[in-house]
Amino acid sequence: MTSAVDALAPDATAIAAALRRIRDPVRHTPLERSHALSNRHRRDIHVKLECWQPTRSFKVRGAFNAIRSLDAAARARGLVTASAGNHGQAVALAAADIGARALIFAPRDAPDAKKRRIRALGATLDDASRDYDEAEARARSYAAEHGATLVHAFSDPDVVAGQGTVGLEILADLPMVRTIVVPVGGGGLIAGIGIAVRARSPATRIVGVQSVETRVMHDSLAAGRVLELPVTPTLADGLAGGIDAASLARVQRVVDAIVLVEEAAIARAIRTLFEDDGIVAEGSAAAAIAALDRLQDLDDGPVVAVITGGNIDSARLTRILQDR
C-alpha cells in the first residue's frame, strides 16, 4: 500500500539526483523543432525524442533510477514487474546491468515487438494475463509470495523521479518552453515532468493526453477519485490500464489538463511523424501529436510534445501507413 508520504514524493531534488544516477546508459535525447508540425499548427512545435532511448522508450529512465537505488539484498531477491511492454524492456535492461534476475508479467496481446525484446534482454516473460491490470495483480502476488522486489511501472517514487529527468532535459534545451504535452498511462511520466518543471518554470503548462479508450486518469481527475474502467482495444496500448491513489495525487498537483484523442487521430499522427519527420512512433507516443489539434486556445510560445516510444510492430505500422 502506498502511503500518503509516498504520494508527495519525489521532489525536485530527487529528480536532479536521478539525472546524475542514470547518465549512463540513459541518453539525453534530442529536442528538435518540427518544421512540418510548426507550419501546420502555426506555432513553434518541438518533439522530445524519447523513442531514441536504448529500448526505444522513456521507461529506461525510471527503471534504471529505481533499480540502481536498490540495496544488495533487494537486488538479490530478484526483480518483478508488470508491463504493457516498454517498462518490461527497461526493467530487463536495468536488471542485466546489475546482474539481477527479472520476471515480467505482460498482457497476452502486448505487441510482439515488445515481448521479443524483453526476452532478448534476458528477462523471463509471462504473457498469459488478460490485460495490464491482471498482469499487475499477478506481479504483486508473485512478489508477496516469493519475496521478489517489485519495480512498479508508475507508482514507485524512484521510477517517477527517473521519468522526471525528461523535464529537466527539456528545460535545459528550451528554457522558454510554454507548454509540454505528455501521453498519460499510469501517470508516472507526466507526474515526474510536472514536479521537475514546476520547480524551475512554474508558468509552463503541463498538458496530458489519453486516448478515448484509455481515459482512466482523465475521468478520475474529473471525479476526484480513482475510477476503474474497462480495458478496450486501442492503438495506444502503452497507455492502457488502471491507476492508483498516489499517481492520481501527483497528477492533481502538477498537471493543468488532460485531453482525449480518438483512435483515428492517433493513426494520422503516426503517419504524420513518419512521413514528415522520419520518426517511428508507437500509438501511445503519437497521441501527443494527435492532441495538438486540441491546443489552439494556448498562449503563443514553444510547445514540446514528448514522443515517448517507438516500439510498434512493423505489420501494424505498415497497415497504418497504407490506410488512407
Side-chain angles (χ1 to χ4, degrees), residues 227-256:
L227 301 178
E228 294 184 8
L229 300 180
V231 176
T232 52
T234 177
L235 287 173
D237 55 271
L239 307 184
I243 63 171
D244 63 19
S247 184
L248 177 61
R250 293 187 185 107
V251 170
Q252 286 172 323
R253 289 170 57 217
V254 298
V255 174
D256 293 289

Side-chain angles (χ1 to χ4, degrees), residues 136-157:
E136 182 176 322
R138 295 182 65 207
R140 288 185 181 277
S141 177
Y142 182 92
E145 182 178 351
H146 298 276
T149 300
L150 180 68
V151 184
H152 197 278
F154 58 81
S155 197
D156 184 322

Side-chain angles (χ1 to χ4, degrees), residues 209-234:
V209 54
Q210 294 191 295
S211 73
V212 171
E213 309 299 332
T214 62
R215 59 189 296 154
V216 63
M217 183 66 81
H218 173 277
D219 289 9
S220 295
L221 283 173
R225 60 185 177 87
V226 175
L227 301 178
E228 294 184 8
L229 300 180
V231 176
T232 52
T234 177

Side-chain angles (χ1 to χ4, degrees), residues 21-34:
R21 187 176 293 117
I22 66 174
R23 286 194 186 278
D24 176 30
V26 175
R27 297 171 183 158
H28 182 132
T29 52
L31 182 65
E32 298 185 351
R33 185 178 188 274
S34 169

